[in-house]
Amino acid sequence: MAEYKRPESLKKTPSGFCPGCMHSLATKLIAEVIGEMGQANNCVHIVPVGCSTLNLAYWQGDLLGAAHGRAPAVATGFKRSNPDRLVFAYQGDGDLAAIGLAEIMGAANRGENFTVIFFNNQTYGMTGGQMAPTTLIGQKTTTTRNGRDAETTGYPMKMCELISTLEAPAFVARYALNTPKGCKDAKKAIRKAFEIQMAGKGFTFIELLGNCPTNWGLSPLKTLEYMESNTIPYFVPGVYKDKYKDEVK
Amino acid sequence: MLNINTSLCKGCSYCIKFCPKKILEMGTERNKHGHFFPYITNESDCIACAMCATICPEGAIEISKEETNNG
């Protein structure tokens, strides 16, 4: 028999996210890991701009606001001056893969000792569902009315694959949150990333595939099917880099 | 014991979809935020697998071990 309690790092009020949004699911999983590791008072959540900003009113614990896309830069400064704290940036795909691309690649290439959790729902949620660099080919958004066309807007950007080609990152992995199993696997990976960070072993990057029922124009249940048949075949879940596979359990 | 904090629920139905015993159903009442929320049809069939609690985005479902004080 399993026991389950709502994690203490979340406030006792509903999140600001839309019904069925996996942003709140991702936040909950992170909070569970932080609770299980006993790091609730030691962790610092770097909040950038986007739907992830709603965590400012939802996360119980230390938060640090960053400019749009600049969470890895802020995390770099904070972690270097406070090496004992557990630091993680929680960024969306517009924030990380478009506006903050320089910051994430720079931080990953330097092997900064913090964790970035990248929530990929293939759209700019907060600003009204515009195309993000990760939007799938053919996916309709408010700026790609007939579906994304590779000829004019290029191809969806695979951040895990990109970052895993760099020398410095210690752990790079991607998981989908559309099933309980995916959530459990994601949780294990987040824990592993935090443990690598606390051991001082370098940069860790976890990509979580999620949904956006509001801007995809689908019911929460339909988004699960959409993810299964469209998102997951393109953004394949798995571990892309694990530098300390044999050393860290 | 399965406990749904209905005031946190946003009615996404993920718990209903993933319950292996199919003991959750969407109700017709709304909570104070205007969302429908699920109810438990037959708690004695619950195997406490925590699938519903794992997938619940709001952390609205809690599972505790059954009390055995009353024998």
Side-chain angles (χ1 to χ4, degrees):
Chain A
M1 266 173 68
E3 269 194 274
Y4 183 87
K5 282 220 174 303
R6 184 179 158 87
E8 287 179 5
S9 292
L10 302 180
K11 287 190 179 160
K12 290 181 172 43
T13 51
S15 72
F17 301 110
C18 302
C21 175
M22 289 176 187
H23 258 299
S24 44
L25 182 52
T27 307
K28 188 190 81 168
L29 295 176
I30 300 166
E32 284 173 19
V33 175
I34 300 265
E36 285 167 15
M37 290 176 72
Q39 294 282 346
N41 295 323
N42 189 40
C43 86
V44 179
H45 181 343
I46 313 286
V47 187
V49 174
C51 281
S52 46
T53 311
L54 293 168
N55 274 352
L56 284 174
Y58 190 44
W59 188 264
Q60 190 107 276
D62 288 347
L63 294 144
L64 195 55
H68 209 342
R70 274 61 179 173
V74 173
T76 299
F78 189 87
K79 182 71 182 186
R80 284 189 182 188
S81 51
N82 299 276
D84 296 334
R85 302 292 294 265
L86 173 61
V87 178
F88 74 95
Y90 176 69
Q91 299 184 265
D93 47 349
D95 187 72
L96 181 138
I99 299 151
L101 191 61
E103 277 68 23
I104 183 65
M105 296 310 283
N109 194 38
R110 294 191 304 271
E112 296 291 346
N113 188 31
F114 62 84
T115 304
V116 172
I117 294 167
F118 169 41
F119 184 81
N120 178 1
N121 62 358
Q122 302 105 53
T123 190
Y124 279 82
M126 178 68 82
T127 49
Q130 291 85 356
M131 191 199 89
T134 45
T135 298
L136 298 170
I137 298 297
Q139 190 174 353
K140 289 181 182 171
T141 67
T142 50
T143 47
T144 54
R145 290 283 186 187
N146 298 317
R148 182 175 185 173
D149 173 17
E151 270 191 37
T152 52
T153 55
Y155 290 89
M157 203 179 272
K158 296 176 173 177
M159 290 309 296
C160 271
E161 285 85 337
L162 268 176
I163 290 173
S164 62
T165 60
L166 300 172
E167 191 60 38
F171 184 58
V172 181
R174 178 192 285 136
Y175 294 94
L177 301 182
N178 65 331
T179 57
K181 181 184 183 303
C183 294
K184 284 182 181 172
D185 290 345
K187 205 175 138 180
K188 274 186 210 160
I190 294 168
R191 181 165 185 139
K192 180 167 179 168
F194 287 166
E195 282 172 353
I196 290 173
Q197 183 193 150
M198 294 315 278
K201 295 191 169 190
F203 185 80
T204 44
F205 183 86
I206 309 288
E207 176 174 344
L208 302 175
L209 298 174
N211 63 354
C212 181
T214 304
N215 289 305
W216 288 7
L218 297 171
S219 71
L221 288 179
K222 290 270 182 210
T223 63
L224 301 180
E225 293 165 24
Y226 182 89
M227 284 178 71
E228 199 63 51
S229 51
N230 296 284
T231 314
I232 293 173
Y234 189 83
F235 294 108
V236 181
V239 176
Y240 283 82
K241 188 170 186 187
D242 192 352
K243 226 176 176 178
Y244 302 100
K245 200 176 354 186
D246 305 322
E247 293 176 38
V248 182
K249 280 178 190 172
Chain B
M1 287 281 286
L2 182 62
N3 180 34
I4 303 174
N5 186 341
T6 56
S7 68
L8 292 176
C9 180
K10 290 182 177 172
C12 67
S13 306
Y14 293 163
C15 54
I16 299 172
K17 180 178 168 72
F18 288 105
C19 174
K21 292 302 215 179
K22 302 294 169 207
I23 57 163
L24 293 169
E25 272 180 30
M26 189 53 79
T28 50
E29 268 181 79
R30 289 174 192 264
N31 64 17
K32 63 180 175 182
H33 303 291
H35 300 296
F36 292 109
F37 54 85
Y39 66 95
I40 307 155
T41 54
N42 185 4
E43 194 167 357
S44 60
D45 277 358
C46 179
I47 53 169
C49 62
M51 291 285 177
C52 53
T54 305
I55 197 81
C56 176
E58 296 294 321
I61 302 177
E62 293 196 340
I63 316 265
S64 55
K65 284 191 177 152
E66 213 156 344
E67 289 169 25
T68 50
N69 297 352
N70 301 329

